[in-house]
Amino acid sequence: MRCKTLTAAAVVLVMLTAGCSTLEKVVYRPDINQGNYLAPADVAKIHTGMTKQQVAYILGTPMMQDPFGNNTWFYVFRQEPGHASVSQQTLTLTFDSNNVLTNLDNKPKLDGQK
């Protein structure tokens, strides 16, 4: 009788500890996408010498502008799949005083960011 009780307790313990990780995968978690999704073909069209209007026509309105001036635009896209790590893409555009694009910085996706 004691052997059956110990076996049952061991089975319950294994089921409880193993169930936590598998239960996490069973629960539906929607993908969360935030920001400006930029297609690689659209980003390839951007080059220095373009005006703000030309850039906005291709990429749309930026997610953020430099709070201390209006010469830097930030396009940020953050993707959080339901059961995978978070990735983020950041495109930073810098304009001169004549509203002409002078610098383009496309940071790659970073996995595991929170």
Side-chain angles (χ1 to χ4, degrees):
M1 183 70 168
R2 183 177 172 153
C3 184
K4 287 182 181 180
T5 306
L6 287 176
T7 304
V11 168
V12 169
L13 182 63
V14 168
M15 288 176 61
L16 287 176
T17 57
C20 295
S21 61
T22 58
L23 183 61
E24 178 69 24
K25 298 290 183 183
V26 173
V27 175
Y28 175 72
R29 293 178 64 193
D31 296 343
I32 300 172
N33 299 321
Q34 297 176 320
N36 302 93
Y37 173 75
L38 301 176
D42 290 338
V43 175
K45 295 177 187 176
I46 304 299
H47 56 83
T48 57
M50 297 179 79
T51 65
K52 284 185 178 182
Q53 289 177 336
Q54 291 170 327
V55 172
Y57 180 76
I58 295 171
L59 299 180
T61 307
M63 174 64 74
M64 289 185 339
Q65 292 185 11
D66 184 9
F68 302 107
N70 57 358
N71 292 333
T72 305
W73 286 2
F74 300 96
Y75 290 88
V76 181
F77 179 67
R78 184 173 192 269
Q79 185 174 29
E80 185 177 347
H83 294 286
S85 60
V86 175
S87 64
Q88 180 171 315
Q89 177 86 30
T90 304
L91 176 66
T92 306
L93 304 175
T94 308
F95 298 90
D96 65 8
S97 59
N98 296 326
N99 294 331
V100 176
L101 182 63
T102 57
N103 189 22
L104 171 78
D105 184 22
N106 192 6
K107 294 185 181 175
K109 291 185 178 185
L110 304 172
D111 291 337
Q113 281 187 337
K114 293 281 179 177

